[in-house]
Amino acid sequence: MENMVKTTVQPNKQQLLNRLKRIEGQVRGVHQMVENDRYCVDILHQVSAIQSAMNKVSLALLEDHTHHCVSKAIKENKGEEAINELMDVMKTMTK
């Protein structure tokens, strides 16, 4: 059996896309800072801000997934599989 790609409609899609666009800009800014030999601590502050922003995106996706996909799976008696998948992704996120 071929791997099936799961899809879903993101309830906060535009908000997530806007956040990711801002993060993309921050990453380009860090790239320029490195190219321009900016002070290491200033670059690290920006990297920290990017990591924080990515954590917020991850948590928003995790919340949406839990409230929609996992909740739906539980109602369809597929909760164990959905919970296992959720725990696997949480383990990956906290490495």
Side-chain angles (χ1 to χ4, degrees), residues 47-90:
V47 168
S48 177
I50 293 166
Q51 288 172 326
S52 176
M54 284 302 300
N55 285 340
K56 288 179 185 176
V57 168
S58 294
L59 287 173
L61 286 166
L62 186 61
E63 184 174 1
D64 288 342
H65 178 67
T66 304
H67 284 293
H68 297 97
C69 301
V70 175
S71 177
K72 180 182 175 193
I74 290 169
K75 290 173 187 168
E76 295 173 352
N77 291 323
K78 299 176 187 173
E80 194 67 33
E81 180 183 338
I83 291 169
N84 289 338
E85 181 183 54
L86 177 62
M87 293 308 300
D88 287 344
V89 78
M90 289 179 71

Side-chain angles (χ1 to χ4, degrees), residues 14-82:
Q14 195 56 53
Q15 186 179 20
L16 287 170
L17 291 172
N18 292 342
R19 263 187 205 208
L20 289 168
K21 196 170 285 210
R22 281 193 304 273
I23 293 167
E24 195 176 347
Q26 287 177 295
V27 171
R28 279 194 304 274
V30 167
H31 186 272
Q32 284 182 327
M33 291 175 81
V34 172
E35 278 187 342
N36 297 330
D37 298 320
R38 291 281 303 270
Y39 186 53
C40 296
V41 172
D42 293 339
I43 296 169
L44 289 167
H45 283 299
Q46 290 304 309
V47 168
S48 177
I50 293 166
Q51 288 172 326
S52 176
M54 284 302 300
N55 285 340
K56 288 179 185 176
V57 168
S58 294
L59 287 173
L61 286 166
L62 186 61
E63 184 174 1
D64 288 342
H65 178 67
T66 304
H67 284 293
H68 297 97
C69 301
V70 175
S71 177
K72 180 182 175 193
I74 290 169
K75 290 173 187 168
E76 295 173 352
N77 291 323
K78 299 176 187 173
E80 194 67 33
E81 180 183 338

